[in-house]
Amino acid sequence: GYQEYPLQNHSRCWSNLDMNYEEEARNYLEQYGNAKADLKYLKERTEVLRSKVEGVRSTLDFERGMKGNHLVPLEGDGTHDPKAKEKLLFRLIYNSMEYSTKLSEAEMLCLEIEKAIDNYTEDNYRLVLKYKYISLYTFERIGVKMHYSDRHIRRLHSEALEQFGKKMSYYVRAN
């Protein structure tokens, strides 16, 4: 299933003094991929519900769910519930509203993270962080894109996280 993720502001991410700059930066940046995965799950769940609703015959198709002297299934799974379509419609509407809310939160979070990467990193560091946390590339793929060895990319990534974490930490303390 999906997880609840709070829309985190900068100060909440940098409040744990036990973590180092790299860990804090990594945790903050990983929220981007988590938000996208949550949205994908909710979208798929909405599509499944929508197809179920479209597949359910309404009670209008049959007289009160009866055909002769026996109940007629109103849902493809053999359910004999005359309110099956209404229940599914309610779930679909609720799920669609939940998806819409999560979409707004995730878009704000993703924009915040992209802006933070742009503001707090430079040149190759910026590119490595964007490839890793926004495009969700592996280190190997980043190396191919940037024409560097895997080892060099891992070093750049570590330095980028350190730089990003320090600048974010400074920003949080200054505000």
Side-chain angles (χ1 to χ4, degrees), residues 131 135-147 150:
Y131 281 147
S135 299
L136 302 176
Y137 289 176
T138 62
F139 289 120
E140 294 78 20
R141 187 166 181 195
I142 297 169
V144 169
K145 295 280 282 176
M146 295 180 68
H147 307 287
D150 182 63

Side-chain angles (χ1 to χ4, degrees), residues 5 39 95-107:
Y5 56 92
L39 286 177
N95 196 80
S96 296
M97 290 169 47
E98 181 183 21
Y99 176 75
S100 184
T101 301
K102 293 273 186 201
L103 180 63
S104 296
E105 290 174 1
E107 285 175 345

Side-chain angles (χ1 to χ4, degrees), residues 3-21:
Q3 65 185 38
E4 291 289 327
Y5 56 92
L7 184 63
Q8 297 205 0
N9 63 30
H10 303 307
S11 59
R12 282 193 53 196
C13 293
W14 264 260
S15 60
N16 187 347
L17 299 176
D18 295 334
M19 279 194 220
N20 64 30
Y21 293 121

Side-chain angles (χ1 to χ4, degrees), residues 21-84:
Y21 293 121
E22 271 188 59
E23 284 179 280
E24 290 180 353
R26 183 180 293 110
N27 290 342
Y28 176 72
L29 295 171
E30 284 176 347
Q31 291 179 94
Y32 193 102
N34 294 341
K36 293 292 186 180
D38 288 347
L39 286 177
K40 182 179 178 189
Y41 171 79
L42 285 170
K43 184 177 181 184
E44 289 170 359
R45 191 172 80 180
T46 302
E47 290 168 0
V48 166
L49 283 172
R50 184 171 284 117
S51 68
K52 278 185 177 183
V53 167
E54 290 169 357
V56 172
R57 288 189 221 110
S58 168
T59 55
L60 300 175
D61 295 345
F62 303 102
E63 206 168 296
R64 298 195 187 279
M66 300 291 289
K67 187 171 186 182
N69 291 332
H70 62 280
L71 283 171
V72 177
L74 298 178
E75 196 172 350
D77 65 2
T79 300
H80 294 279
D81 184 356
K83 298 270 186 197

Side-chain angles (χ1 to χ4, degrees), residues 81-169:
D81 184 356
K83 298 270 186 197
K85 188 165 191 160
E86 290 83 358
K87 290 176 183 175
L88 280 172
L89 278 170
F90 176 77
R91 284 179 39 206
L92 176 62
I93 290 167
Y94 176 81
N95 196 80
S96 296
M97 290 169 47
E98 181 183 21
Y99 176 75
S100 184
T101 301
K102 293 273 186 201
L103 180 63
S104 296
E105 290 174 1
E107 285 175 345
M108 287 174 23
L109 176 66
C110 290
L111 285 172
E112 174 187 302
I113 290 171
E114 288 176 30
K115 187 176 177 181
I117 291 172
D118 287 338
N119 289 339
Y120 303 123
T121 56
E122 300 160 2
D123 306 325
N124 282 342
Y125 291 161
R126 178 180 303 130
L127 200 52
V128 167
L129 293 182
K130 283 186 173 186
Y131 281 147
K132 183 68 179 162
Y133 297 101
I134 294 173
S135 299
L136 302 176
Y137 289 176
T138 62
F139 289 120
E140 294 78 20
R141 187 166 181 195
I142 297 169
V144 169
K145 295 280 282 176
M146 295 180 68
H147 307 287
Y148 290 128
S149 70
D150 182 63
R151 194 169 122 193
H152 187 67
I153 290 299
R154 289 177 187 275
R155 186 180 59 74
L156 283 175
H157 176 256
S158 180
E159 291 170 3
L161 287 176
E162 185 77 14
Q163 180 188 78
F164 182 81
K166 282 181 181 176
K167 288 186 178 181
M168 284 292 293
S169 178

